[in-house]
Amino acid sequence: MAVEPEPVYPADFYAPFQPQTALDMLERTPGFTLSEGDFVRGFGGAAGNVLIDGQRPTVKTGGIGEVLRRIPASRVERIVLLRGSDTAEAQGQVLVANVVLRAAAAGSGNATLTLAHTFDGHISPQAAISYAKAIGAWQASIELSGEIVRYPSDAVYRLRDAGGALTGTRIETVSGRSPQLGFAASASRDAFGGTLTLNARLNWDPYLVDQTIDLFAGETSGSPTGVRTIDYDEDKASGELGVDWTRALGRGWSAKLVGLGRLETYSSDEDYAEPGYRGVSALDQKPLELVARATAARGGSAAFRPELGMEIAYNRLTSNLDYAEDTGAGLIPVALSNAKTRVSELRGEAFANVTSRLSSTLELEAGTAFELSRIRVTGDADSEQSLSYFKPSAALVWSPSSSTQLRLGARRTVDQLDFGDFAASVDQADGRPLGGNAQLRPARVTRALLRFDHRWGKGGALSLEAFHQWHQGMLGYLLLPSGDEALGTVGNARQWGLTAQAALPLDAILPGARLTADSTLRGSHFRDPLTHEVRNMDDVLPFELSAELRHDLPALKSSWGVTYAAPQKGEVFYNGERLFWRERAVWGAYAETTALPGFKVTLRVSAIGGADDYRLRRFYSPSRIGAFTGSERRDKHQGASVSLTLSRQL
């Protein structure tokens, strides 16, 4: 008889955490980290690591959290972690949570109100209300949300010449705010012999920034020699509709049809002014995505479980950038490669996966996918290219007991292209215009891993994963034949590391306490195409760590906790610049209670002592193989915030 490897956490397990939604429960599941999806090609490959009643919600990257917030905790019967097979709905994920719901005809929902006080003295409100109810044959849910997020910060810039002498100082004050509105709804019912599910989302996310910088010739003593102002307005609206139909075919087989459409409008306007100079830019973009997918799979306890399917996707982006500078003779347009462009891709993929039980404790997972695509660019530079990729995968999964599992696997994926990189853009604050590259191709990644997962007692979990990745056709910054800097293929690279997730009950030391941690160690190897020196890959973080100590006090219907995020650092290499950044450690604390009947109250302090970072830009001429010409260091401070949240299940 086969060992049952899936850990099960019933609703009672989460009671001490006082969850209000399914999202709260997943965030407290031992050894599990929620993933909204990877930035890879394909609807299946970009899946997050959450299923609901065995099915993946038909939403794109970033939408799973909204779906989970609409599910009241009272509707969740249990959460099952799938560590090996049965994860065709979220391929490529090594740990998947299946949220199993109770059947409920009565309506239920959640209401949440948060008031946050930021260090600049403003109050940022956030409110959300969701409700789920059976309406005739439909099981429907809806969520309305709104918030005003604020991003206040202060910074000091110090400019030095090649010899290290101070040549200028800048004092910066930034007031950023983002009012956001969201609407999400889903409905499902029996239809055509199966289950039909609809998911819809509408979001409006503007972003407004006022930036004032006092300019000093040297130190900050005396009056500034001038003032730089930057007004930046960004407007973004998006809509998404997903349709899913699943039907059982008999003998463990089921069929699934998925359709998804997403439309977005994005615009940004920036006005940069200082004595003797003004720069104005306006960017308008309209992305569109359409996906159709069909699969047939055999599940259950069969020893041989295949999955066959195909997917067709169409992506399109139209982009228009107007950029002009005034140095005393009026605004003069600045030409950048692909300032006006339209890029589209039609892609088709066929795939086959199989899970085979080799013994009572050993399973083999294998799969392959083949895709064909055509990318067409029109506008300032016309281009057309046809691409094809073979994407195999294989894994051996050994489950010697219900508490322990070992996985050895490898998978080849193809990164999703950001169509915005085909078009020109400009960052005036950093003086960095970028051209668009009509010849972009996606990078390919082959990842090998060895993962160990062990669970014990009530809530103990430890997962360790060693990995090695080979990157082919990696993207980085280079010069186009036009002389503009842009993203393009810069070579091959390797990356390796170790990840660890742990949930450690501390009842022997402090009854009701638990320590959780999620960390990653990384290394990389890349030969710089400009200097021919070996260096790290761009923005590969060498170390990440987040941890939380939580103490539940059932007698008081309360809990408290402390959170920690370790310092992070990274580096990005441009053609004539080397940018290094570092963020300091961030501490937080919270206390929550349900002592007030019917309500959950949470008091949270974020970024205790501030969330500070510094950034060092080193400049070279005419490129990084030329002479060092100077540097710019920015020390930025973002203070603590205090928030009070009141939530109630309806």
Side-chain angles (χ1 to χ4, degrees), residues 51 69 79 143 152 196 245 257 286 293 374 446 497 576 640:
L51 309 178
R69 281 199 306 268
I79 293 178
E143 180 186 61
L196 177 67
W245 179 73
L257 301 177
K286 292 181 174 62
R293 179 179 172 92
R374 184 188 64 195
T446 301

Side-chain angles (χ1 to χ4, degrees), residues 127 238 435 442 495:
S238 62
Q495 182 184 164

Side-chain angles (χ1 to χ4, degrees), residues 368-390:
T368 186
F370 181 75
E371 72 163 65
L372 293 170
S373 68
R374 184 188 64 195
I375 299 178
R376 178 177 294 171
V377 181
T378 58
D380 292 344
D382 294 345
S383 173
E384 183 171 332
Q385 53 182 326
S386 296
L387 307 174
S388 62
Y389 298 107
F390 178 59

Side-chain angles (χ1 to χ4, degrees), residues 362-448:
L362 188 65
E363 287 192 329
L364 170 67
E365 299 174 7
T368 186
F370 181 75
E371 72 163 65
L372 293 170
S373 68
R374 184 188 64 195
I375 299 178
R376 178 177 294 171
V377 181
T378 58
D380 292 344
D382 294 345
S383 173
E384 183 171 332
Q385 53 182 326
S386 296
L387 307 174
S388 62
Y389 298 107
F390 178 59
K391 299 180 289 187
S393 64
L396 276 175
V397 183
W398 181 46
S399 305
S401 70
S402 59
S403 60
T404 304
Q405 187 178 89
L406 194 67
R407 167 185 286 263
L408 176 65
R411 174 178 293 270
R412 189 171 193 251
T413 58
V414 180
D415 286 350
Q416 178 64 283
L417 286 170
D418 184 345
F419 280 14
D421 295 330
F422 285 85
S425 64
V426 60
D427 180 353
Q428 293 195 81
D430 284 342
R432 187 180 294 121
L434 295 175
N437 187 351
Q439 299 296 324
L440 278 179
R441 288 173 171 251
R444 286 82 65 200
V445 180
T446 301
R447 180 183 177 97

